[in-house]
Amino acid sequence: MNTTSIQILENQAVDAAIQANWDTAAKINKEIVSIQKRDVQAYLRLGFAYLQLQKYQLAADQYKKVLTIQPQNNI
């Protein structure tokens, strides 16, 4: 998948979050991280979507992945 396709997915994920469509936001961000295993922003968005869906363990798992990629990440 090329950079433009990833950018389209990122825009769709953000749009879904703005509309509080958390299931869709989670689904799109999962697709992004399946393609780009070290995409910190997608993991952060996915974690937040899971928080909104009250899937706390899944959210924590995403934030832990961020810390394995960027141990100094304060978000």
Side-chain angles (χ1 to χ4, degrees):
M1 186 168 279
N2 62 34
T3 304
T4 302
S5 299
I6 294 295
Q7 287 174 328
I8 290 169
L9 288 174
E10 288 173 352
N11 290 339
Q12 290 173 346
V14 171
D15 288 343
I18 289 169
Q19 297 171 18
N21 188 343
W22 301 113
D23 286 316
T24 299
K27 178 183 172 197
I28 295 168
N29 283 301
K30 280 174 52 175
E31 184 176 348
I32 294 169
V33 298
S34 74
I35 298 164
Q36 297 190 147
K37 305 288 187 218
R38 298 182 59 81
D39 190 328
V40 169
Q41 295 303 314
Y43 282 116
L44 290 171
R45 289 190 305 266
L46 181 55
F48 189 76
Y50 283 144
L51 281 176
Q52 299 305 307
L53 293 167
Q54 299 181 354
K55 296 181 177 182
Y56 301 117
Q57 187 57 56
L58 290 173
D61 293 344
Q62 303 318 304
Y63 293 134
K64 287 176 187 174
K65 288 177 186 174
V66 169
L67 291 174
T68 62
I69 299 166
Q70 281 184 345
Q72 304 303 317
N73 191 303
N74 291 324
I75 297 174

